[in-house]
Amino acid sequence: SAQIADLQQKLLDADNGDRAKQRWDSIATILEAKCALKYLLGELVSSKVQESKLQSSLEQSQASCSDVQKMLMEERNHTAEMETAFQNQILVQEQQHQEKVKHSSWK
């Protein structure tokens, strides 16, 4: 029954596609042409509005991405600075330890 329902839906879809094509092909009067043109212009306006919304969303996403990248670079720089400071502290402590070892071995 699922296959039958699927086939029926495919037939309906094909029918609708054929009907739409026949509708456009069968435009015979100026009034029908005006109606078709009005419909197409409405679709064009709708598409342009949607495009504008998508473009705005894309620009906002790009700005947000740029902000996140900037924050990431700042964090990486901060981490590098902290690592350098930590390495310097280790070096100083190693030198101090070596000095203590030298002084304790002389006694």
Side-chain angles (χ1 to χ4, degrees):
S1 66
Q3 288 177 337
I4 291 172
D6 187 43
L7 288 173
Q8 286 174 336
Q9 186 60 45
K10 286 180 182 177
L11 283 172
L12 285 174
D13 291 345
D15 249 7
N16 288 338
D18 288 344
R19 276 193 224 137
K21 186 179 182 323
Q22 286 173 355
R23 236 181 270 143
W24 290 111
D25 289 344
S26 66
I27 292 176
T29 66
I30 296 294
L31 181 60
E32 289 174 337
K34 282 183 179 180
C35 288
L37 189 56
K38 185 176 180 180
Y39 171 78
L40 289 174
L41 288 174
E43 289 295 307
L44 176 64
V45 168
S46 177
S47 295
K48 288 290 187 180
V49 168
Q50 185 66 21
E51 178 192 19
S52 177
K53 287 179 183 177
L54 289 172
Q55 184 65 36
S56 176
S57 176
L58 174 63
E59 288 169 2
Q60 288 175 352
S61 294
Q62 286 174 330
S64 177
C65 181
S66 179
D67 291 344
V68 168
Q69 286 177 332
K70 183 179 176 186
M71 286 174 36
L72 178 61
M73 284 303 292
E74 289 171 356
E75 287 299 318
R76 284 181 178 165
N77 290 339
H78 180 68
T79 302
E81 290 170 2
M82 289 177 59
E83 186 175 349
T84 300
F86 180 67
Q87 292 296 332
N88 287 338
Q89 281 182 334
I90 290 174
L91 186 61
V92 167
Q93 287 180 352
E94 285 176 349
Q95 289 173 346
Q96 288 173 350
H97 178 69
Q98 288 176 2
E99 288 296 320
K100 285 182 184 178
V101 169
K102 280 184 187 178
H103 288 309
S104 66
S105 67
W106 284 353
K107 291 182 180 181

